[in-house]
Amino acid sequence: MDGLFVPRPQRPGQSVHLIGCEPGEALSARLGRPRTQDDDLIRLWALDHTGRTMAKYELEFRITEARPSVLGDTLIDITLADTGDDRPAMAARPVWDTWFHGAPTKPNQWAPFGTPGRSAWLDLSRIGPYGPDIGRSGGTYHLDGQHVTDKPGLLLALGEALLGPGSTYGGSLDSVDDHLGGGPSVVPPFTLIWHHADIARHALAGHIVDHHPHRSYFEAAVHILQEHGVTVVLQ
């Protein structure tokens, strides 16, 4: 067999720069060790201005350079070797900047972002208390569908409708399906009035759910809600 196995294009390496590190005892000891190709891991916690954790990322701690920090004082700047693709996309930067000032308190703050930014917003959103006998049922909720033009937009709008800004009812339809069976905070039966539903119907018509090849993402979302006893009113 010829032509099946071919060289893959190499992705250019991209270093990670940690600016303004405090050289505490543990870090100083690590810097004093020989720079070998070991597989130490560090976890970076992204904090907002109150100190609340927004996100966590694990990186391989392979130091290529350590130098006095551009921020001065006794701080140091550290450069790490390329640590792979498990990092937030550049589109996440303005999203993190928004969340840095605190969790969102107004609906649709995610709407101006494109799909990658909305996905990053979804990653930062919080799921409420989850488990059996936690959620409350009943009531009527309103989903603002005017910005539901992609899959993360649908999930964000649903989370805001049920739990408020900065919250999510799951990062995928499978997760929504799971949460509808046991929380968080709102469980069926309840009524969901989906305003501007045709926007999502048309925008997601070409997005087919893998295990339901004849159902669009929008249709699958409505089906999951109705299957769990949610009265969905499309307007």
Side-chain angles (χ1 to χ4, degrees):
M1 186 180 296
D2 187 26
L4 177 62
F5 301 101
V6 296
R8 295 178 180 271
Q10 294 295 314
R11 181 178 59 84
Q14 186 172 8
S15 300
V16 175
H17 305 283
L18 306 179
I19 308 299
C21 301
E22 183 178 350
E25 182 178 345
L27 178 57
S28 297
R30 177 62 182 81
L31 290 172
R33 288 163 47 188
R35 295 175 185 173
T36 58
Q37 293 297 313
D38 52 26
D39 55 356
D40 290 350
L41 290 178
I42 59 171
R43 174 173 285 181
L44 298 181
W45 293 23
L47 309 179
D48 68 11
H49 77 290
T50 67
R52 184 184 66 87
T53 301
M54 297 189 298
K56 299 178 183 179
Y57 284 88
E58 285 191 346
L59 299 176
E60 293 182 2
F61 199 54
R62 296 180 178 174
I63 302 170
T64 59
E65 185 183 5
R67 58 199 175 279
S69 177
V70 295
L71 300 180
D73 201 15
T74 59
L75 303 177
I76 58 176
D77 295 343
I78 297 174
T79 297
L80 304 181
D82 185 4
T83 55
D85 294 324
D86 187 22
R87 282 180 279 172
M90 284 300 296
R93 182 184 290 268
V95 174
W96 284 29
D97 288 344
T98 300
W99 279 72
F100 176 77
H101 298 289
T105 57
K106 299 178 181 179
N108 293 329
Q109 287 181 254
W110 50 267
F113 297 101
T115 298
R118 292 179 177 190
S119 295
W121 191 287
L122 190 61
D123 290 339
L124 298 183
S125 299
R126 296 292 185 265
I127 294 176
Y130 174 71
D133 303 323
I134 287 181
R136 64 181 184 275
S137 61
T140 299
Y141 299 85
H142 295 265
L143 189 155
D144 182 358
Q146 60 182 324
H147 304 294
V148 181
T149 55
D150 51 20
K151 292 190 286 187
L154 188 155
L155 297 168
L156 290 168
L158 178 62
E160 286 192 345
L162 299 178
L163 302 173
S167 301
T168 178
Y169 217 74
S172 67
L173 290 186
D174 287 337
S175 182
V176 171
D177 189 14
D178 184 34
H179 294 155
L180 284 169
S185 301
V186 179
V187 294
F190 59 85
T191 298
L192 180 69
I193 301 178
W194 192 322
H195 301 273
H196 309 286
D198 278 346
I199 292 178
R201 188 195 306 275
H202 293 131
L204 299 175
H207 295 271
I208 304 301
V209 179
D210 291 341
H211 47 287
H212 293 293
H214 304 295
R215 229 177 248 160
S216 71
Y217 199 85
F218 168 78
E219 293 168 338
V222 173
H223 176 77
I224 288 171
L225 290 164
Q226 293 175 333
E227 191 176 41
H228 282 278
V230 179
T231 301
V232 182
V233 180
L234 302 178
Q235 293 187 349

